[in-house]
Amino acid sequence: MSLSRVSLLLLLCMLPATSMASASRAVWTWEAESYAMVQDPKVAAEAVTYLKSQRIDTVYLYADAFQGRNLIVDQPQLYRDFITGMHAKRMKVYALLGSAYLNTENYVLPSHRAEAEAMFRRVVEYNAAAPENARFDGVNLDIEPHILDQWDDDTREGLLAGFLDMSDALMRIKREHGATLAVGPAIPFWLDGIELEWKGVRRPVSEHTIDLYDYVALMDYRDKAEGSDSILSHAASEIAYANRVDKKVVIGLEVSSNDIDKVTFHEEGPKVFEQEVGKVERALRREPSFAGFAVHHYRAYRRWAAQDW
């Protein structure tokens, strides 16, 4: 190895942590905005330009039925064109599955298992048929049993077991198809406080979930990085466990309005958001499981960021 190359390597090793590449940032993008992006190249181009200006490199793009149409089935070329364009801009696209419009929280129930499997299988089959540069990079599942009307202290264990059974079925489909895309769910940070016996093993639901999937997007909705009841405190157990089992954790953050101020940066604004995100990134960047951030959600983010702060 030449002296100049040795000197370069030494210099890189001496760079401060702040010189390291920034963590990945994703954004949840719901039905109307996703459909607009895939159907209109002008909308897509403007969105990509905006997202890159915000250092967002990954889009969780809705990929299921909406308003009587299912574009991934009826017009898959629209997704192929959009994803190809995103990859040309060095951005990633994950299929976002789960919808208030479709009441997909019901998919954890055995009576709706076939719908969950069909939803996921459509994405896997889309990828199998698409050229490599037009394939989804991953899947993000937003199936939340705790929003079911029947959720309470008496029913939650059964509903969470249904969530794990559904998850197991979806990952089995991935294996059967030999699919390589990263698959993971959005989960609330408090699942680590609920222990559940599943398949003969009793452990926190968060750990069962991490075991099943490639990654989790932790809905770590707090507006401060450090201290008690903070982003870092609520992510600690998931990060530690994912480190042990070689899985990934994406830290989910909220900017939408909410009656509970501490769950969102809506009132604090972008400057405080960046300060707190920076603290989290510096604390976690050397953790093997840390895989960046995801912001909820695209429409709210644009409105929030455009305010006169």
Side-chain angles (χ1 to χ4, degrees), residues 31 62 64-65 98-109 112 115 119 142-144 147-149:
E31 299 93 337
Y62 184 72
D64 203 2
S99 170
Y101 170 75
L102 297 175
N103 299 119
T104 52
E105 63 274 13
N106 289 309
Y107 288 5
V108 305
L109 304 174
H112 290 268
E115 294 167 76
M119 170 191 70
D142 190 44
I143 311 292
E144 303 179 33
I147 67 175
L148 284 163
D149 290 340

Side-chain angles (χ1 to χ4, degrees), residues 143-162:
I143 311 292
E144 303 179 33
H146 55 276
I147 67 175
L148 284 163
D149 290 340
Q150 58 263 52
W151 174 277
D152 59 30
D153 289 344
D154 296 326
T155 62
R156 69 179 188 179
E157 287 195 5
L159 294 173
L160 287 168

